[in-house]
Amino acid sequence: MDFEFLFNTMGKLLAAVPTTLGLFSLSMLFGGLLSLVIVAMRVSPYPALSWFARGYVLVFRGSPLLIQLFLIYYGLGQFEAVRDSVAWVVLREPYACAVLALALCTAGYTAEILRGGLLAVPHGQIEAGLATGMSRWTLLQRVIAPIALRQCLPAYSTELILLVKSTALASLVTVWDVTGVAQQIIQRSYRTMEVFLCAAAIYLVLNFLLVRAVALLEHRLSPHLRKRPGTAVNAQAQPL
């Protein structure tokens, strides 16, 4: 094991971490916003909107992300109408195509996670909020959203981890993230094991930090589940 080579390789891979984080952050942002639209259509009383959302989720959850990425990057450019449109300024860039593919894919998964969180909100709490005179926006902000978010976080943290790992596919369309730089180093050095060990360590650290951040958020959103200091002592001190 050449530690000098590992040190140099780690330095080059760390320089590509901002690209990976940029892909992840933009995909999470745009995918999250799109998922809100999809889940709103999914629970809509209008059949046309609901079935469109069902179809969207079916397509983007049922087909491989790699194929979606290739269709966006290689497929859309074959249409002259796309090349002549304003969207071509964005779609001709590999980075933008990678973000678009990741965002569209994660939106399908996130929409179903959010829908599950909404269905987990007790109906009695919704009725209680309406009975106290809350408007629907206030009810959503103070009752539905906090409960649904707490229910969604465990499943959504898994989706975020998968999204971090899915950014590695962007290297296939010449986006030089951590995986892309690793492949360049391997092509020059033919040292697959050492390079991919360094890349795996970087992804492992990123996912660990992400899991801890979500766990902290889940802890702050669940104050009623924490043990209050002195509760057990006081309970034992009370006479039977």
Side-chain angles (χ1 to χ4, degrees), residues 22-198:
L23 287 170
F24 168 74
S25 302
L26 292 175
S27 303
M28 180 183 66
L29 174 62
F30 294 130
L33 294 176
L34 180 58
S35 68
L36 294 177
V37 178
I38 297 300
V39 76
M41 298 172 66
R42 182 70 172 81
V43 300
S44 172
Y46 301 102
L49 297 179
S50 178
W51 280 105
F52 176 83
R54 290 171 183 263
Y56 180 94
V57 171
L58 175 64
V59 169
F60 284 95
R61 289 205 310 171
S63 57
L65 174 59
L66 180 61
I67 294 179
Q68 298 170 21
L69 178 61
F70 281 170
L71 286 176
I72 292 175
Y73 182 67
Y74 295 109
L76 293 180
Q78 297 180 3
F79 298 99
E80 185 176 354
V82 175
R83 296 195 302 270
D84 294 337
S85 66
V86 179
W88 183 243
V89 178
V90 176
L91 294 176
R92 68 183 179 184
E93 299 294 333
Y95 189 91
C97 289
V99 170
L100 179 60
L102 291 169
L104 291 174
C105 184
T106 191
Y109 289 94
T110 305
E112 284 299 288
I113 293 173
L114 292 176
R115 188 175 71 90
L118 291 175
L119 294 177
V121 178
H123 190 67
Q125 295 193 20
I126 299 177
E127 292 180 343
L130 294 175
T132 58
M134 287 186 181
S135 65
R136 293 190 177 275
W137 173 251
T138 304
L139 183 65
L140 175 64
Q141 184 180 7
R142 296 186 178 181
V143 179
I144 299 177
I147 297 176
L149 183 59
R150 285 198 301 268
Q151 299 292 333
C152 290
L153 278 179
Y156 188 55
S157 65
T158 303
E159 172 58 24
L160 292 180
I161 292 173
L162 293 175
L163 181 60
V164 171
K165 294 189 290 186
S166 297
T167 58
L169 294 177
S171 62
L172 298 177
V173 291
T174 67
V175 177
W176 304 121
D177 63 332
V178 172
T179 303
V181 174
Q183 290 174 346
Q184 288 182 326
I185 298 174
I186 291 172
Q187 290 173 359
R188 294 193 296 267
S189 64
Y190 299 99
R191 304 177 76 165
T192 305
M193 180 66 71
E194 294 95 328
V195 176
F196 276 146
L197 280 177
C198 293

